[in-house]
Amino acid sequence: MAFLDVKGIRKAFGGTEVLRGVDLTLEQGQVLSLIGSSGAGKTTLLRCLNFLETPDAGSVSVNGEVLFDAAGPAARREADIRRRRLHFGLVFQSFNLFPQYTALQNVALAGKLLAKEEPEFRGRKKQLYRDIDDRARQLLEQMGLADRLDSYPHQLSGGQQQRVAIARALALQPDILCFDEPTSALDPELTAEVLRVIRGLAQRRTTMVIVTHEIAFAREVSTQVAFMDGGVVVEQGPPEQVIGAPALERTRRFLESYMSS
Amino acid sequence: MEHILQQMPIVLRSLNAGFLQTLKLFFVTGLGAIPLGLVIAFGSMSRFRPLSVLTRLVVWVVRGTPLMIQLLIIYYFPGIVLHRAIWGGGEAGRFLAAAIAFIFNYACYFSEIYRGGIQSVPAGQTEAGLVLGMTRPQIFFRVTLLQVVKRIVPPMSNEIITLVKDTALARIIALQEIIWAGQAFLRGSNGIAGALWPLFFTAVYYLIFNGVVTLALERLEKRLDYFR
């Protein structure tokens, strides 16, 4: 069984079926890019993985553990979901940093709240919080933000904000880090700095699922590429195959329209 | 002019006592209505339809009728219709009735401000909290609330300044607040009768107090300026 195993995910909004049975697999340490035109269902799929949407059908397992199964009875209880969703991290297109917290506080907040659920939290609070802060600082340094720890989001550029958001997602050590068009809100210069960070994560063998319109980047950084169209994965394989020599006409047409624009 | 100066110490003593009652009503209303408004806001945003419909109906009635009528109904209804004088006869009973009417009325206005404020925080903030494993209460208190407070300070300032002046409405059930105290010198009080100026002079109290309130709220607004 693959590290990430997504089977038959379906999701409809109102009468519109956005996902019509998505199957995906991904091995640990690999990077999967999801490409396809707008409305193909890429973002909805990521949101399903992160429990921001509840699929109507299908299942998601990570490392052999079934995290979601639409057929299972206990799939939707909020308290259950909360722990399970920590297997995934999500970086949003619009960053969604908390504006009233500094970069460091943004990265450390969720960890500190989770620490309260640790056994003997009271006695170990100081030590736990110090470890969380240390780790947050380390991650921000790794993102090239060592001098912006105490900056508030509005004092940072879009690229810096997105790098804080990546550190925030990494702080909880998810098994799989998801990106939802992480550079769509950025100009080319800032895009480059964010892509550099993601490239670094790929080199460190972070398991990632990336929804992106940067085809050249997807080709370079991914070990797997999945082309989505009409709510299904049409073609999945290594980038040199899916992007370099697509087997299907639909994939070819998408890539051609992309290159020409 | 000369007799005004003679009357001044007596009048001020009486007006001060009245203004103390005004302040009491103001602060009690604020302390009660600010949290109650949040409860009502959650009610009107509830996903449980009957609750949200009922809450919005109540808010509509309270905002759609004069506070003065609400005061009269709350004060007189139990005695006249139910034949039970639940408020008692004295000033304490009048204050209690006035406080309940004011708290409920202002909580309804506040709730609409809160609702607007809460709904104006982008959904992405909640989603970011959720994917980070935060519980919904944690997200509300640690992430959303301060952003809401920042957004609602200007409209709340308006309502609070209006509240300072609206306390005068409690005069209608003879609460001995500052308008009542000023008016007393018309009929005759403490050996002064037929004097209109004390009533006019009450405006100075409102004006000064609203100056203080405005400054305090501006400071709060500045303190929340550190984020956007």
Side-chain angles (χ1 to χ4, degrees):
Chain A
M1 198 184 208
F3 185 67
L4 168 66
D5 197 357
V6 175
K7 277 203 197 107
I9 295 287
R10 289 179 167 272
K11 178 72 189 174
F13 295 103
T16 319
E17 261 211 310
V18 179
L19 299 177
R20 308 166 185 240
V22 173
D23 299 298
L24 270 183
T25 57
L26 186 66
E27 292 304 332
Q28 193 160 20
Q30 293 203 331
V31 179
L32 169 70
S33 288
L34 291 172
I35 60 170
S37 22
S38 307
K42 309 179 299 288
T43 294
T44 305
L45 178 60
L46 270 202
R47 292 174 60 84
C48 284
L49 292 183
N50 283 277
F51 297 88
L52 291 176
E53 309 288 353
T54 310
D56 302 325
S59 66
V60 177
S61 9
V62 172
N63 209 5
E65 183 191 347
V66 179
L67 298 183
F68 175 85
D69 188 350
R76 288 138 210 239
R77 285 233 322 281
E78 179 107 9
D80 287 344
I81 289 173
R82 200 164 64 81
R83 276 285 169 181
R84 287 183 201 171
R85 72 185 347 148
L86 292 176
H87 287 278
F88 291 93
L90 179 59
V91 175
F92 298 86
Q93 180 178 351
S94 51
F95 328 137
N96 295 345
L97 292 180
F98 306 134
Q100 71 268 45
Y101 294 118
T102 64
L104 186 68
Q105 289 168 335
N106 261 280
V107 178
L109 177 67
K112 287 181 180 174
L113 293 175
L114 282 167
K116 289 180 198 260
E117 295 165 32
E118 297 267 315
E120 295 166 57
F121 166 71
R122 275 169 191 285
R124 301 193 296 145
K125 180 174 169 177
K126 265 201 177 134
Q127 180 64 42
L128 283 168
Y129 278 15
R130 194 166 44 220
D131 291 348
I132 291 166
D133 278 333
D134 284 346
R135 180 162 166 76
R137 212 170 282 123
Q138 213 179 323
L139 281 164
L140 285 166
E141 279 163 18
Q142 187 187 323
M143 298 293 133
L145 294 167
D147 53 342
R148 306 314 303 263
L149 299 182
D150 298 320
S151 301
Y152 289 94
H154 78 272
Q155 299 166 322
L156 300 171
S157 74
Q160 289 170 328
Q161 289 189 51
Q162 192 59 301
R163 285 183 282 152
V164 174
I166 294 172
R168 182 174 70 172
L170 284 170
L172 299 179
Q173 294 170 290
D175 294 325
I176 298 163
L177 184 56
C178 302
F179 293 82
D180 184 12
E181 301 189 24
T183 59
S184 294
L186 301 173
D187 60 38
E189 197 179 329
L190 301 177
T191 294
E193 68 182 55
V194 170
L195 293 185
R196 199 177 313 127
V197 164
I198 299 175
R199 203 175 287 130
L201 293 174
Q203 277 157 9
R204 248 167 280 155
R205 298 187 61 73
T206 311
T207 315
M208 294 188 277
V209 178
I210 306 173
V211 168
T212 184
H213 290 296
E214 308 271 342
I215 302 294
F217 175 73
R219 181 171 193 165
E220 171 211 328
V221 82
S222 319
T223 45
Q224 289 279 305
V225 174
F227 169 62
M228 283 185 74
D229 192 28
V232 292
V233 173
V234 177
E235 199 170 347
Q236 183 184 350
E240 49 276 15
Q241 180 197 314
V242 177
I243 297 175
L248 294 171
E249 181 59 28
R250 270 157 100 185
T251 320
R252 226 177 347 248
R253 242 181 297 138
F254 165 75
L255 289 168
E256 270 165 20
S257 69
Y258 224 86
M259 300 308 171
S260 61
S261 67
Chain B
M1 193 66 204
E2 206 170 300
H3 60 275
I4 288 185
L5 286 176
Q6 279 167 4
Q7 292 167 345
M8 192 64 108
I10 300 165
V11 168
L12 285 187
R13 201 175 320 126
S14 181
L15 291 188
N16 285 345
F19 193 58
L20 208 64
Q21 193 74 319
T22 295
L23 285 181
K24 224 170 95 187
L25 184 58
F26 170 77
F27 282 111
V28 165
T29 303
L31 286 178
I34 286 172
L36 182 61
L38 194 59
V39 175
I40 296 173
F42 280 131
S44 68
M45 289 187 297
S46 170
R47 266 177 284 186
F48 181 57
R49 281 285 291 176
L51 180 62
S52 68
V53 169
L54 184 73
T55 313
R56 284 175 197 220
L57 193 73
V58 170
V59 170
W60 171 64
V61 170
V62 171
R63 293 204 311 166
T65 55
L67 173 53
M68 188 185 277
I69 307 271
Q70 293 163 20
L71 265 165
L72 289 170
I73 290 174
I74 287 181
Y75 186 58
Y76 289 112
F77 187 85
I80 292 175
V81 182
L82 307 175
H83 301 291
R84 287 182 44 195
I86 58 171
W87 306 120
E91 176 75 355
R94 286 190 291 270
F95 183 83
L96 188 60
I100 288 171
F102 270 83
I103 288 173
F104 203 63
N105 181 278
Y106 268 83
C108 286
Y109 280 96
F110 290 169
S111 79
E112 286 297 286
I113 296 177
Y114 295 162
R115 192 162 68 90
I118 291 170
Q119 286 171 347
S120 75
V121 175
Q125 292 288 306
T126 303
E127 291 183 351
L130 285 174
V131 298
L132 291 166
M134 293 163 70
T135 64
R136 289 199 180 259
Q138 283 173 343
I139 293 169
F140 180 75
F141 288 107
R142 301 302 193 104
V143 175
T144 313
L145 186 60
L146 196 61
Q147 297 181 47
V148 173
V149 171
K150 184 181 168 74
R151 275 159 223 244
I152 66 173
V153 168
M156 285 293 281
S157 302
N158 253 328
E159 288 298 323
I160 289 169
I161 286 165
T162 304
L163 170 60
V164 172
K165 296 169 291 178
D166 268 3
T167 53
L169 289 171
R171 165 72 190 85
I172 199 72
I173 58 167
L175 186 78
Q176 293 168 18
E177 44 71 71
I178 189 169
I179 298 282
W180 182 91
Q183 213 181 358
F185 292 105
L186 263 177
R187 283 178 274 112
S189 164
N190 295 305
I192 301 170
L196 189 56
W197 75 269
L199 187 54
F200 293 170
F201 192 74
T202 59
V204 175
Y205 281 77
Y206 288 108
L207 192 60
I208 290 172
F209 185 62
N210 261 333
V212 174
V213 169
T214 304
L215 285 177
L217 288 165
E218 274 171 8
R219 271 190 65 172
L220 177 62
E221 210 175 325
K222 280 228 175 66
R223 281 198 57 172
L224 291 171
D225 241 8
Y226 73 94
F227 72 90
R228 252 167 238 161

